[in-house]
Amino acid sequence: AELRKASKRLSCHKRYKIQKKIREHHRKVRKEAKKRGHKKPKKDPGIPSAAPFKEELLREVEQRKQRLEELKQKQKLNRQKEHEKKRKLEAKKNAATVKEKAEGKESSGKSKGKTKKPLNKNSKKSFCRELMKVLEASDVVLEVLDARDPMGCRCPQLEQAVTSSGGSKKLLLVLNKIDLVPKDNIEKWLNYLKKEFPTVAFKSATMMKDKTMEQVTKRHARVDFSETSQYFGSKCLLKLLQGYGKTQDRAIQVGVVGFPNVGKSSIINSLKGKRACNVGLTRGVTKSMQTVHLDKQTKMLDSPSIIADPSNSPLALALRSIIDPEGSDSADVLEGVNAIINHCSKQQVMMHYNIPDFRDPEEFLSLLAQKRGMLKKGGVPDIENMAKLVLCDWTGARIKYYSQPPGFQKPPPYLTEQKIAEMQEGFNLNNLEQENSNTVQALKHPSPASSIAFQSAGMTNGTIEENKVIEEGSERENMETSKEEEEEEEEEFTESDNDEDDVEEEDDDDIREVNEAPGFALVSLTHDFLFSGNERSRSLSFSLDKPADEDDAYDFNTDYV
């Protein structure tokens, strides 16, 4: 038989006894506290109004307070330097241990035999490898462009790779997000781009129901899904792809490529009619090649984003989402926002954000931070976080801006007339033009007055070959050697500063004395003034004759003029 646990129940006599003891203990504690009583803090007597040299005394007290504040600030900075030094030393030690472990693993790996390391899915090399898989497997490549800056979304390296691949590989341009651009601007861009590649006007769905999502009830029938899941241009694109498939007499694979946040996965979801691919505002949602079957004859291949070359301008890097607002350094984010604001119409930016005139992008960010209540301690505008928000707005689909196509048509060097004819072969271009005009007419477009005029930086260079990618980790390793020298210099500097620590300790004692008994300090000052004689008067005259730059204390003489 199993032993039963002992019951925790107490008899009433025992429970009441415990409660009585607790009450007695509390009573005793209260009684002792009452006997001790509360010591009142000594009141600061201050300087009597009848005392001579009162103004000079007050000024000296103020100066002394200021000196103590400066000392505190200096000590705080020294403490921060020490913490930073310790952190760097620890980081150095950790890096050394990691390096030793890696070397040990490499040596053991060499003895066992050479094995290929699997690439990290989030690495740039992995993205390039998956992108090349999509390009090689595709019969038709859709290069997705943001209608607000179509030229900036084109990648010459990608277009050259597709056009020079040989065979019957085709390249189509998909002009997405046409609902964010004025109507006449869209028509200009369609006329410009169709002379180089067949171009489809498209508006993808911004929110799609998941495969597993239940149907919306009648009560919530009006909510978001009806409007946000509307998409335009999908029928036109499907007809174009199916028509090309019939000319080939076989099933075709269509690869969807482009820079981050242009709407690659959203286009596939719109063609499928439901959420088949994950979508997001941040870079790297799609990490590998994904296959989606539209029908028996058409298969869509989703790809990771094109990696932009670091040699591009700050404007191109900012708008192509290469500068990640969350992960990047605040200096890079600020540089990106500066480039964006400098390439926009100032009046339209002021009207859009409803802020007064500003001299530079930094003042623009501070005004916007004050308007939206993004303030640090002490009411200082939080410029860094405001810059991140502005960059997120411009890389997402929140801001309506537009750029004008170039004044004259100058195809890139890799696009000859023969290549342009090859790319247009197999597509019904007349039907495509008619469908594009219908799509543009069906949509509601913003007016030029409510949009922001923007100056494009031209095509954005990208890296599509794996061997040309420079990972961030390798860049850091190259920079380590230069950083080590700086750290050594800092160590020497901190050693030379150790001599000043003794002086600072003495100053600490002064601070403690003043903080403990401010009243007595004032009394001692009055005593010094009354009985110090000529020496004191000389020092006073010397301190009064100091220029304003040397003595920052408040001038009390102004109150008595």
Side-chain angles (χ1 to χ4, degrees), residues 249-458:
D249 291 330
R250 60 183 175 87
I252 58 167
Q253 292 186 331
V254 182
V256 184
V257 297
F259 283 104
N261 293 349
V262 291
K264 300 182 291 295
S265 301
S266 299
I267 284 172
I268 295 173
N269 291 340
S270 302
L271 292 171
K272 184 72 177 171
K274 59 184 177 183
R275 190 173 178 178
C277 302
N278 288 328
V279 292
L281 291 173
T282 55
R283 176 183 62 158
V285 174
T286 307
K287 294 180 174 62
S288 59
M289 183 172 76
Q290 295 180 22
T291 308
V292 178
H293 291 269
L294 292 183
D295 51 39
K296 289 180 181 180
Q297 296 296 317
T298 314
K299 188 195 290 184
M300 303 297 292
L301 305 176
D302 195 7
S303 69
S305 304
I306 301 169
I307 304 297
D309 199 287
S311 62
N312 286 304
S313 65
L315 175 68
L317 293 174
L319 288 177
R320 301 290 77 80
S321 299
I322 305 308
I323 299 172
D324 183 18
E326 298 303 322
S328 296
D329 186 22
S330 58
D332 294 336
V333 177
L334 284 168
E335 190 183 4
V337 172
N338 287 355
I340 290 169
I341 299 301
N342 288 329
H343 281 75
C344 293
S345 169
K346 188 178 178 182
Q347 295 296 327
Q348 288 175 333
V349 169
M350 286 161 57
M351 286 173 65
H352 182 271
Y353 287 103
N354 195 15
I355 56 170
D357 191 13
F358 54 90
R359 287 170 294 180
D360 50 20
E362 194 172 341
E363 191 180 354
F364 159 76
L365 290 171
S366 66
L367 287 169
L368 194 58
Q370 284 172 352
K371 185 177 181 291
R372 295 190 180 179
M374 288 189 72
L375 305 172
K376 291 182 186 175
K377 193 175 179 182
V380 180
D382 192 355
I383 290 173
E384 288 81 10
N385 285 326
M386 194 68 247
K388 289 177 183 179
L389 275 178
V390 170
L391 191 57
C392 285
D393 289 352
W394 279 78
T395 52
R398 190 169 289 181
I399 304 292
K400 294 173 182 177
Y401 64 92
Y402 64 95
S403 59
Q404 294 293 342
F408 58 95
Q409 192 88 19
K410 188 182 178 183
Y414 52 82
L415 264 186
T416 59
E417 289 182 6
Q418 187 183 350
K419 287 286 179 188
I420 292 169
E422 281 178 18
M423 290 295 127
Q424 292 175 349
E425 193 180 347
F427 296 109
N428 189 347
L429 298 178
N430 293 328
N431 188 27
L432 172 63
E433 195 172 342
Q434 184 61 40
E435 290 286 345
N436 279 341
S437 65
N438 292 341
T439 305
V440 172
Q441 293 295 332
L443 262 172
K444 186 180 178 182
H445 297 272
S447 64
S450 63
S451 303
I452 298 172
F454 173 79
Q455 189 180 350
S456 179

Side-chain angles (χ1 to χ4, degrees), residues 93-133:
K93 284 176 186 176
N94 291 337
T97 52
V98 168
K99 202 173 182 181
E100 283 172 11
K101 284 179 184 177
E103 283 173 2
K105 283 179 183 177
E106 280 176 12
S107 59
S108 62
K110 282 176 184 177
S111 60
K112 289 175 186 176
K114 289 182 180 178
T115 54
K116 281 188 178 180
K117 288 183 183 178
L119 272 175
N120 180 16
K121 282 189 177 180
N122 289 322
S123 69
K124 291 179 180 178
K125 285 190 177 182
S126 172
F127 284 6
C128 287
R129 183 181 290 181
E130 294 298 317
L131 180 63
M132 287 307 293
K133 277 185 193 175

Side-chain angles (χ1 to χ4, degrees), residues 80-223:
Q80 285 175 356
K81 276 182 185 177
E82 283 174 12
H83 286 310
E84 190 71 19
K85 187 184 171 185
K86 283 177 186 175
R87 192 181 61 77
K88 282 181 180 178
L89 285 170
E90 284 173 8
K92 211 172 182 181
K93 284 176 186 176
N94 291 337
T97 52
V98 168
K99 202 173 182 181
E100 283 172 11
K101 284 179 184 177
E103 283 173 2
K105 283 179 183 177
E106 280 176 12
S107 59
S108 62
K110 282 176 184 177
S111 60
K112 289 175 186 176
K114 289 182 180 178
T115 54
K116 281 188 178 180
K117 288 183 183 178
L119 272 175
N120 180 16
K121 282 189 177 180
N122 289 322
S123 69
K124 291 179 180 178
K125 285 190 177 182
S126 172
F127 284 6
C128 287
R129 183 181 290 181
E130 294 298 317
L131 180 63
M132 287 307 293
K133 277 185 193 175
V134 171
L135 291 177
E136 287 167 8
S138 303
D139 300 307
V140 179
V141 178
L142 301 182
E143 188 181 9
V144 185
L145 312 178
D146 190 331
R148 296 173 293 181
D149 184 18
M151 195 56 76
C153 294
R154 288 181 67 177
C155 176
Q157 287 79 13
L158 174 82
E159 292 178 4
Q160 190 171 4
V162 174
T163 51
S164 62
S165 60
S168 58
K169 207 182 284 288
K170 304 290 181 185
L171 180 69
L172 291 178
L173 300 180
V174 180
L175 203 60
N176 195 18
K177 302 183 186 180
I178 58 170
D179 58 316
L180 302 175
V181 182
K183 184 180 171 184
D184 59 338
N185 186 256
I186 283 290
E187 289 169 352
K188 284 178 187 176
W189 273 112
L190 287 170
N191 289 331
Y192 179 86
L193 294 170
K194 73 179 182 181
K195 293 173 184 175
E196 296 180 11
F197 295 103
T199 309
V200 182
F202 206 93
K203 190 265 174 186
S204 58
T206 53
M207 187 187 290
M208 294 293 280
K209 296 181 195 176
D210 198 355
K211 298 172 190 174
T212 57
M213 193 179 285
E214 294 178 1
Q215 291 293 322
V216 183
T217 57
K218 287 182 182 178
R219 186 181 170 188
H220 298 290
R222 298 177 197 169
V223 179

